């Protein structure tokens, strides 16, 4: 699944760009909150840390690996970033790589 539509923001505005998400495993606490919110996007590995998954459900373990945020799961992914105790989930626009949700969001 990829985002082909405009993604809603918190204030109801629209962004024209697809979004992607990645996890900084150096900050991950392994609480699994992200997996509870969006198991289609996140998964805990045997090392106890969370990772993003590809659209084909493959665990992406390379540092900084990103995956598209499916529009139907946007709210769940954003909630994951907001609730993450490790502040390690980053959601950014694909076009300019500006973080829109997460610890480095503007």
């Amino acid at each position: 699944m990829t985002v082909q539509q405009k993604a809603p923001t918190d204030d109801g505005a629209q962004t024209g760009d697809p979004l992607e998400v990645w996890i900084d495993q150096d900050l991950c606490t392994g609480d699994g909150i992200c997996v509870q919110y969006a198991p289609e996007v996140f998964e805990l590995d045997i090392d106890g840390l969370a990772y993003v998954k590809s659209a084909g459900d493959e665990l992406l373990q390379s540092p900084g690996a990103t995956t598209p945020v499916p529009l139907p799961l946007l709210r769940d992914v954003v909630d994951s970033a907001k609730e993450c105790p490790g502040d390690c989930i980053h959601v950014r626009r694909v076009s300019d790589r500006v973080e829109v949700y997460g610890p480095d969001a503007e």
Side-chain angles (χ1 to χ4, degrees):
M1 255 190 249
T2 60
V3 177
Q4 300 298 326
Q5 305 167 30
K6 294 183 179 199
T9 61
D10 286 339
D11 62 4
Q14 300 286 314
T15 66
D17 292 319
L19 301 175
E20 63 187 3
V21 61
W22 66 282
I23 296 177
D24 183 344
Q25 279 77 29
D26 290 337
L27 300 175
C28 181
T29 59
D31 288 273
I33 291 171
C34 56
V35 177
Q36 292 173 4
Y37 276 105
E40 303 89 346
V41 177
F42 305 107
E43 183 175 325
L44 290 176
D45 197 17
I46 195 166
D47 62 5
L49 301 177
Y51 294 86
V52 295
K53 299 192 297 186
S54 71
D57 209 34
E58 176 188 350
L59 198 63
L60 303 175
Q61 296 175 302
S62 299
T66 65
T67 196
V69 177
L71 187 56
L73 298 176
L74 177 60
R75 179 60 44 214
D76 294 334
V77 171
V78 169
D79 288 344
S80 296
K82 289 180 178 178
E83 298 297 324
C84 177
D87 283 332
C88 65
I89 299 173
H90 304 265
V91 181
R92 64 187 178 200
R93 288 189 301 256
V94 172
S95 62
D96 59 8
R97 300 174 65 98
V98 170
E99 188 162 319
V100 293
Y101 302 104
D104 299 329
E106 297 177 349

